[in-house]
Amino acid sequence: MAMSGSARAGDGFSLIELMVTLAVLGALLLAVTPLVRDWMFDTEIRNAAESISTGLSKARAEAVRRNEPVLFSLVSNDSPGLLDNNCALSSTSASWVVSLDNPADHCADGLDTSKGKRLIARHARGDGASGVTVEVRDATCKSATVQAQVLFNGFGRAALEPAPIRCIVVRHPGSSTTRTLHVVLNSGGTVRTCDPAATDPRDTRRCLVN
């Protein structure tokens, strides 16, 4: 017996219906892809800023706990996710080391405060933030500087020598629409992460000029 037209229509999608569905899905993907990309970039920016802020706070807390100077240093790393002993001080790196001595050429040493460069903690840029760029700036967060270290004294304040990092700008070069975050160290040694795009005086993310 021949099937009716209505029965055949219920058997599945026609070619036209399938093409329309694929076209709609394609349009949705094109619309959503930039949003997903920017979300991933923002996540990397946030990860890097939080990591640097954690490192600075760690160095300050260790200086107070030990009652002796502790260094926070931004250092280069050739391979994302890995610090080796080819490291050098770098004002454009998101990798950092907390130590009791200058860590240059010793970033991969054991975390042992009894000998050598006496490393306390370290973090490589590739851990969740491989694509970010970092720039150290002055206290206004406007002019680039070459400072790559902060020496905290036993009171948790930033020493004047070496000249301390005051502002670290973290961004992602992959998109002009993602946000930028600032990690700011004030003269008293307090560390704060802020968003320069936040302008409302009531917004706790707002950046304040030192």
Side-chain angles (χ1 to χ4, degrees), residues 53-73 96-101 111-114 117-122 150-158 189 191:
S53 177
T54 297
L56 284 163
S57 298
K58 172 73 172 178
R60 187 186 189 209
E62 285 290 328
V64 173
R65 185 178 72 84
R66 297 167 181 270
N67 193 29
E68 64 177 316
V70 172
L71 269 173
F72 170 90
S73 307
W96 54 262
V97 172
V98 175
S99 62
L100 301 180
D101 303 285
L111 299 180
D112 185 355
T113 58
S114 65
K117 295 300 175 181
R118 299 186 294 166
L119 301 186
I120 297 172
R122 58 172 165 247
V150 180
L151 180 65
F152 291 97
N153 61 28
F155 296 102
R157 298 180 65 88
V191 182

Side-chain angles (χ1 to χ4, degrees), residues 32-171:
V32 170
T33 296
L35 298 177
V36 174
R37 180 198 61 192
D38 286 350
W39 176 82
M40 293 176 64
F41 289 165
D42 279 338
T43 298
E44 289 199 12
I45 292 169
R46 185 174 62 253
N47 287 345
E50 289 178 352
S51 166
I52 292 170
S53 177
T54 297
L56 284 163
S57 298
K58 172 73 172 178
R60 187 186 189 209
E62 285 290 328
V64 173
R65 185 178 72 84
R66 297 167 181 270
N67 193 29
E68 64 177 316
V70 172
L71 269 173
F72 170 90
S73 307
L74 292 177
V75 296
S76 61
N77 65 309
D78 294 331
S79 302
L82 176 67
L83 282 177
D84 57 33
N85 284 336
N86 292 321
C87 65
L89 297 181
S90 173
S91 61
T92 58
S93 175
S95 300
W96 54 262
V97 172
V98 175
S99 62
L100 301 180
D101 303 285
N102 198 318
D105 299 321
H106 290 273
C107 295
D109 288 358
L111 299 180
D112 185 355
T113 58
S114 65
K115 59 183 179 180
K117 295 300 175 181
R118 299 186 294 166
L119 301 186
I120 297 172
R122 58 172 165 247
H123 182 89
R125 169 180 62 88
D127 295 345
S130 59
V132 300
T133 60
V134 164
E135 182 180 45
V136 176
R137 296 185 182 176
D138 62 10
T140 67
C141 291
K142 294 180 180 179
S143 299
T145 71
V146 296
Q147 276 74 34
Q149 290 183 303
V150 180
L151 180 65
F152 291 97
N153 61 28
F155 296 102
R157 298 180 65 88
L160 297 180
E161 292 293 337
I165 293 169
R166 295 300 305 278
C167 176
I168 301 172
V169 177
V170 184
R171 60 164 60 93

Side-chain angles (χ1 to χ4, degrees), residues 171-194:
R171 60 164 60 93
H172 201 295
S175 173
S176 60
T177 60
T178 54
R179 63 178 174 176
T180 296
L181 292 180
H182 292 175
V183 181
V184 179
L185 178 75
N186 68 23
S187 56
T190 301
V191 182
R192 181 172 180 265
T193 300
C194 63

